[in-house]
Amino acid sequence: MPAYHPPRIETPPAFREASAAPRPRRRCRSTGGRGSAIPRSISLEARIPANPRLAEALARYDAARASLAEAKAARAPTIDATARTMENRLSDGRPMRGPFPLRYADDSLGAALSYHPDLWGRVRAGVAAGRAEASAGAEDVAAVRLSLQAMLADTYLVLRGQDERIALLSRTVDAFTRADGLTQRRHEGGIASGLDTGRAGTQLEEARALLAQARLDRAVAEHAVAALVGASASAFTLPVGSLPVRMPTLAPGTPAAMLASRPDVAAAERRMAAANARVGLARTAFFPDVALDAQAGLQSGGIARLLRASNLFWSIGPAAVLNLFDGGRRRAGSRGRRRNGTAPPPTIAPPSSTPVARSRTHWPPNASWPRRARPSAARRTRRRRSMRWRSTAM
């Protein structure tokens, strides 16, 4: 098996503009709620295992572990027990017929052992490849869990932001409603003009439109949280609340240091190790397959006479099989595995395209940006009232 060395990236000990370098974390993992400023989101994280994406990743990890156990089992010998009782009749017209009975019984009881010594490293290479694939599967599970946790935290922040926005817009609507009533009374008393009443009514309608849009965006964010925790959107609700956010203090370069310890980066490195191990596995196909076989048991022409010492038989000895011609199948397989093992590291998607980063725009698409609210009804009302103002002024 070719020697494998994980890729290393030389990084400077410190930034030129900084006096000390950050200490990177070992892996990007969830803190489990310790030191977090969103306690409600912490309770929701416990329901993430119900998400189908995480269940799919766990199933792939279990399959990789099963493959590893299967590869490890090849290091042990195979032992089989056999038992047979048969009644035979020979043909009358068989060639070279001798003075043998035409009908006889054949009963046997025995055991067989087969062991394939790992002379060329075939089993070791298979175990190394299976172990690397299992490690990659574990990192995939961690990456999916981290992605879901980031999406849940981001969506929860968006939802609480919408709660604050709804509270602000509700107070704004109440204030504009009182202002509009006051302007109407002033207009009735001859103090305010029709332009003033139209402006006050337009402001009120625009605030109501923004409030309706904010409530819709909150519902979208709430449904997104339900999807992330694997709950039904119709039966899942989050009460209105506030969110005291405490921003963490990050040392310079911390995001870059954490980027190198992302679970998906570690999974890609483990798959490179598995591909390297499969190169050695493909090379062993050019060597003979050596096996040590042994069998022993009892055989007789009747069950009543089976358990006798004279009916004992046994055989033991090595065997070797070498493939002389296969049409180039082994050579092609070895060349393909070698190319996979010596290929450059897979390109890791930039943070802007990873699920963790995409969560900032997926849930919901326009919930966190008040400017994207579209008060088209308010604009139409403003246009109609402007026409009414002109007629009143005339």
Side-chain angles (χ1 to χ4, degrees):
M1 185 172 61
Y4 174 73
H5 303 285
R8 299 181 60 183
I9 302 176
E10 297 295 335
T11 57
F15 290 102
R16 184 174 58 185
E17 295 81 5
S19 58
R23 300 181 61 182
R25 296 176 60 185
R26 186 175 183 85
R27 281 286 186 270
C28 295
R29 294 287 189 266
S30 172
T31 60
R34 297 184 299 272
S36 176
I38 44 177
R40 180 65 181 180
S41 178
I42 297 170
S43 62
L44 293 174
E45 284 187 6
R47 303 176 61 178
I48 283 182
N51 189 281
R53 284 183 54 194
L54 184 58
E56 180 184 359
L58 287 171
R60 289 196 299 265
Y61 174 55
D62 291 340
R65 292 183 59 187
S67 299
L68 174 60
E70 183 179 1
K72 289 182 177 180
R75 295 184 292 193
T78 302
I79 301 177
D80 299 321
T82 60
R84 182 182 64 180
T85 175
M86 300 181 63
E87 191 73 20
N88 305 278
R89 186 189 184 284
L90 301 178
S91 171
D92 292 337
R94 69 182 185 278
M96 301 181 65
R97 178 179 178 181
F100 302 106
L102 296 179
R103 187 172 179 176
Y104 66 93
D106 184 8
D107 303 319
S108 64
L109 178 66
L113 181 144
S114 179
Y115 177 64
H116 294 259
D118 191 20
L119 300 179
W120 324 116
R122 180 177 305 172
V123 177
R124 291 193 299 272
V127 171
R131 184 178 290 110
E133 285 291 347
S135 299
E139 296 294 342
D140 287 339
V141 173
V144 173
R145 182 180 287 111
L146 181 63
S147 173
L148 292 174
Q149 289 172 347
M151 293 172 68
L152 177 61
D154 187 81
T155 309
Y156 185 80
L157 288 173
V158 169
L159 186 140
R160 289 312 180 200
Q162 292 299 329
D163 287 341
E164 298 291 340
R165 187 171 170 227
I166 290 173
L168 175 61
L169 289 174
S170 298
R171 294 192 298 269
T172 303
V173 168
D174 294 339
F176 284 173
T177 301
R178 293 192 298 268
D180 183 64
L182 178 60
T183 304
Q184 292 290 345
R185 289 192 296 270
R186 293 184 56 176
H187 177 66
E188 294 173 358
I191 301 176
S193 64
L195 184 62
D196 295 333
T197 58
R199 184 183 297 111
T202 301
Q203 290 178 344
L204 176 59
E205 293 299 329
E206 185 173 359
R208 287 174 176 173
L210 290 173
L211 178 59
Q213 182 66 37
R215 288 172 176 168
L216 177 61
D217 293 342
R218 188 196 187 278
V220 172
E222 189 177 50
H223 293 171
V225 172
L228 288 172
V229 300
S232 173
S234 301
F236 182 83
T237 57
L238 280 175
V240 178
S242 59
L243 180 63
V245 179
R246 299 190 303 271
M247 298 302 296
T249 303
L250 300 178
T254 300
M258 294 181 66
L259 180 65
S261 62
R262 278 167 35 184
D264 54 345
V265 177
E269 187 275 327
R270 287 290 81 201
R271 288 192 170 89
M272 288 180 58
N276 181 81
R278 292 193 184 96
V279 173
L281 183 63
R283 289 179 180 177
T284 60
F286 294 95
F287 299 96
D289 184 12
V290 180
L292 178 63
D293 298 327
Q295 59 178 348
L298 300 171
Q299 185 178 20
S300 71
I303 297 179
R305 302 185 304 271
L306 182 62
L307 300 178
R308 293 181 180 179
S310 59
N311 295 331
L312 176 67
F313 73 91
W314 58 268
S315 64
I316 185 173
V321 178
L322 177 63
N323 189 292
L324 300 178
F325 178 77
D326 59 0
R329 179 178 59 86
R330 291 174 299 168
R331 190 174 301 277
S334 177
R335 185 169 58 251
R337 298 290 177 83
R338 190 180 300 110
R339 292 302 301 169
N340 290 335
T342 58
T347 302
I348 303 300
S352 59
S353 61
T354 58
V356 177
R358 286 201 305 266
S359 65
R360 299 190 178 278
T361 55
H362 270 198
W363 304 105
N366 62 347
S368 58
W369 307 108
R371 292 183 180 180
R372 297 190 62 176
R374 298 177 292 274
S376 56
R379 292 194 184 98
R380 290 194 297 268
T381 304
R382 183 188 305 173
R383 191 178 301 112
R384 289 195 298 267
R385 293 198 176 187
S386 297
M387 297 174 63
R388 196 159 52 245
W389 299 335
R390 294 173 184 173
S391 62
T392 303
M394 293 176 61

